[in-house]
Amino acid sequence: MAYEFKLPDLGEGLTEGEVSRWLVSEGDEVAEDQPLVEIQTDKTTVEIPSPAAGKVAQILVEEGKVVPVGTILVVIGEDGAAPKAGASPKKGDEPKKDTSVSLAPGPVQGGRVRATPLVRRQAQELGVDLETLTGTGPQGRVTEADVREAAASEGQAPGRVSEGRREPLRGVRRLIAEHMARAHREVPAVTWVEECDFSGVDLKLLVPTVLKACAEALKEFPELNARLEGDEIVYFDRYDIGVAVQTEEGLVVPVVRGCDSASINELAAEVKRVADAARAGGLKPDELRGSTFTVTSAGKLAGLLQTPIVNHPEVAILSIGRIAERPVVRDGELAVGQTGYVSLTFDHRVVDGARAAEFGLDVIRRLEAS
C-alpha cells in the first residue's frame, strides 16, 4: 500500500514548519523509523522518522518551503507508486500506478520529471524547463549537472545578474530575519549607553555575573522584566534571561532560568550547557522560549558598543561591549582599569528613559561592586 505522510503536530502551539532538509530521495527504500526529514521550527530543528517502510514515491514539498501542519510531505509506497490525489490509503489497498511519476528518462506525459526538490529549485532559479531535459541519473532522474549544462547551453536566464551567487533565505536565517524585522517594525526602541569598570569581575565568568546583576536589578525595575500584550503590560515574577549565542546557523537565544536564585557558578554551568547545545543544534524547543529579558555579549568581537535589537516580545535587552585596559579615575588618581560599555535597548512604549537609565546604572553598580 501507499502512505501519505503529513507534517505532524509538533506541539508547543506550532502551526507550521519549514522543510529544512530531506534525508532521503525519491526512489529510496526506507525502513520504519528511519530518519526521513528535518523540520525547522522556531529556531530549532526536529528530525522526523519515517512512519512506514517502503519506497519513497513522491516528495511533495521542496526544501526551504514553509507549510502548515497537516500538509502531505511525502508519499511512501512499497512499489514506489503514489495514491491518487486526495485518496486516503486504506489497510489492504493495493498501490495504484501513478503515471505522473515516470521511471523513464526524459520528459514524461503529465509533465512530471524525476528530480529531487533541490534540483527542481535549481532549475527554477536558472530558468531551465525540466520537461525539456533528458535525465542522466539513475532511472532517468534529472541531476544538478543536467540542469547546469542546460543553463550553460541556453545562456543566462533573463533578468538575472551573472555575478555572484544566490542563496535562498531559509532555516534559522529566515526565522532570524522575520523576528528582527518584526521587532524593528513594532518596537519604538531607544538605546542607553554608559561605561562600566569591570576590574573586579572575573572575565571568565562575565556572562553569568551579568545575568546575576541583571536579575537582581530587574526586581527593582519590574517594567523591564515584562512584555506588552495588546493593551496590557504583563509583569513577570520570574527571572528567566535569554543569552544570545552565535552558531554556524545563526544567532539563537537559549534561556537560562531562575537567574535570581542561582549562584554565579550554577549560572556559569547552565550558560555553558545551553551554549554548547545551541552550537551542536541540540536545544529543545522549550529551551528557546519564555525569556523575560535578554543579555548579549560578543567578547572580543563586540566592538566598542552596540545598539542591540529588542528580543520581541520582551521590552529590553542589555549588551556588553569589548572590555579592555583603559585609563580610569579612582579616588582622584589615574589608574588602569578593565572597562567596557554597557548598552541597554528598551521599548519606549513600556519603559521611560529615566527608568531605563536608573536600571542600567543599577546593573553597573552591581558589576563594579563584584
Side-chain angles (χ1 to χ4, degrees):
M1 66 176 182
Y3 185 95
E4 292 180 338
F5 178 55
K6 301 176 182 180
L7 179 62
D9 183 352
L10 300 173
E12 302 294 337
L14 297 173
T15 59
E16 64 181 18
E18 176 184 330
V19 176
S20 176
R21 182 165 68 104
W22 281 104
L23 305 176
V24 297
S25 301
E26 289 182 355
D28 288 354
E29 291 285 347
V30 296
E32 186 174 355
D33 294 329
Q34 176 181 332
L36 186 68
V37 62
E38 290 181 353
I39 302 296
Q40 182 75 48
T41 64
D42 197 13
K43 298 187 180 181
T44 191
T45 301
V46 180
E47 188 178 272
I48 298 180
S50 176
K55 182 178 289 186
V56 178
Q58 287 182 290
I59 292 176
L60 301 175
V61 179
E62 298 180 358
E63 292 179 351
K65 295 292 185 182
V66 179
V67 294
V69 169
T71 300
I72 300 175
L73 301 178
V74 61
V75 178
I76 299 173
E78 292 177 353
D79 67 350
K84 290 182 179 179
S88 298
K90 298 179 181 179
K91 188 174 181 179
D93 283 354
E94 291 297 323
K96 299 179 181 180
K97 198 69 175 178
D98 184 354
T99 57
S100 68
V101 181
S102 172
L103 302 184
V108 297
Q109 188 175 3
R112 181 75 176 177
V113 177
R114 290 185 62 81
T116 65
L118 179 62
V119 170
R120 294 182 184 280
R121 185 169 67 250
Q122 180 189 43
Q124 183 178 18
E125 292 174 352
L126 295 177
V128 174
D129 185 356
L130 284 176
E131 295 184 13
T132 65
L133 303 185
T134 298
T136 61
Q139 298 180 320
R141 187 186 304 276
V142 176
T143 67
E144 294 182 58
D146 296 333
V147 174
R148 287 195 298 269
E149 183 178 348
S153 64
E154 295 174 6
Q156 185 69 28
R160 287 201 175 269
V161 179
S162 59
E163 292 85 6
R165 66 186 177 92
R166 293 172 181 264
E167 190 172 284
L169 184 66
R170 51 179 295 197
V172 172
R173 179 53 53 191
R174 178 185 62 81
L175 291 170
I176 291 173
E178 292 175 353
H179 191 67
M180 293 297 100
R182 180 179 181 184
H184 186 70
R185 182 174 62 250
E186 295 186 11
V187 177
V190 177
T191 300
W192 172 92
V193 183
E194 184 55 273
E195 190 175 33
C196 177
D197 187 350
F198 290 90
S199 299
V201 176
D202 182 349
L203 297 184
K204 293 180 181 179
L205 297 173
L206 175 63
V207 172
T209 302
V210 172
L211 290 178
K212 188 67 174 179
C214 286
E216 292 173 347
L218 287 169
K219 291 183 177 181
E220 305 298 324
F221 300 88
E223 63 266 51
L224 283 96
N225 195 53
R227 67 177 54 176
L228 186 63
E229 293 184 357
D231 57 358
E232 294 182 328
I233 301 174
V234 180
Y235 297 92
F236 295 105
D237 56 5
R238 56 185 174 86
Y239 302 90
D240 301 336
I241 300 179
V243 179
V245 177
Q246 185 65 45
T247 73
E248 291 184 357
E249 297 296 323
L251 191 70
V252 297
V253 187
V255 184
V256 178
R257 304 192 187 277
C259 292
D260 59 321
S261 58
S263 68
I264 297 293
N265 288 333
E266 289 171 335
L267 290 174
E270 182 63 4
V271 167
K272 183 180 186 304
R273 185 191 72 80
V274 297
D276 289 346
R279 296 186 181 105
L283 286 172
K284 299 175 182 178
D286 61 359
E287 292 178 308
L288 291 161
R289 297 191 182 94
S291 56
T292 61
F293 185 85
T294 294
V295 165
T296 178
S297 172
K300 295 179 180 180
L301 301 177
L304 188 62
L305 59 88
Q306 306 85 41
T307 56
I309 296 178
V310 172
N311 185 21
H312 187 276
E314 297 166 18
V315 299
I317 179 172
L318 183 138
S319 72
I320 305 297
R322 185 177 65 251
I323 299 172
E325 289 188 345
R326 299 184 180 94
V328 297
V329 177
R330 297 192 185 121
D331 300 324
E333 299 289 335
L334 192 62
V336 176
Q338 293 281 345
T339 67
Y341 287 100
V342 172
S343 301
L344 177 72
T345 299
F346 57 95
D347 186 338
H348 218 324
R349 296 174 300 177
V350 179
V351 183
D352 292 331
R355 290 288 285 175
E358 290 171 355
F359 169 80
L361 291 172
D362 192 326
V363 172
I364 289 173
R365 178 182 61 80
R366 296 174 189 275
L367 291 172
E368 291 184 337
S370 298

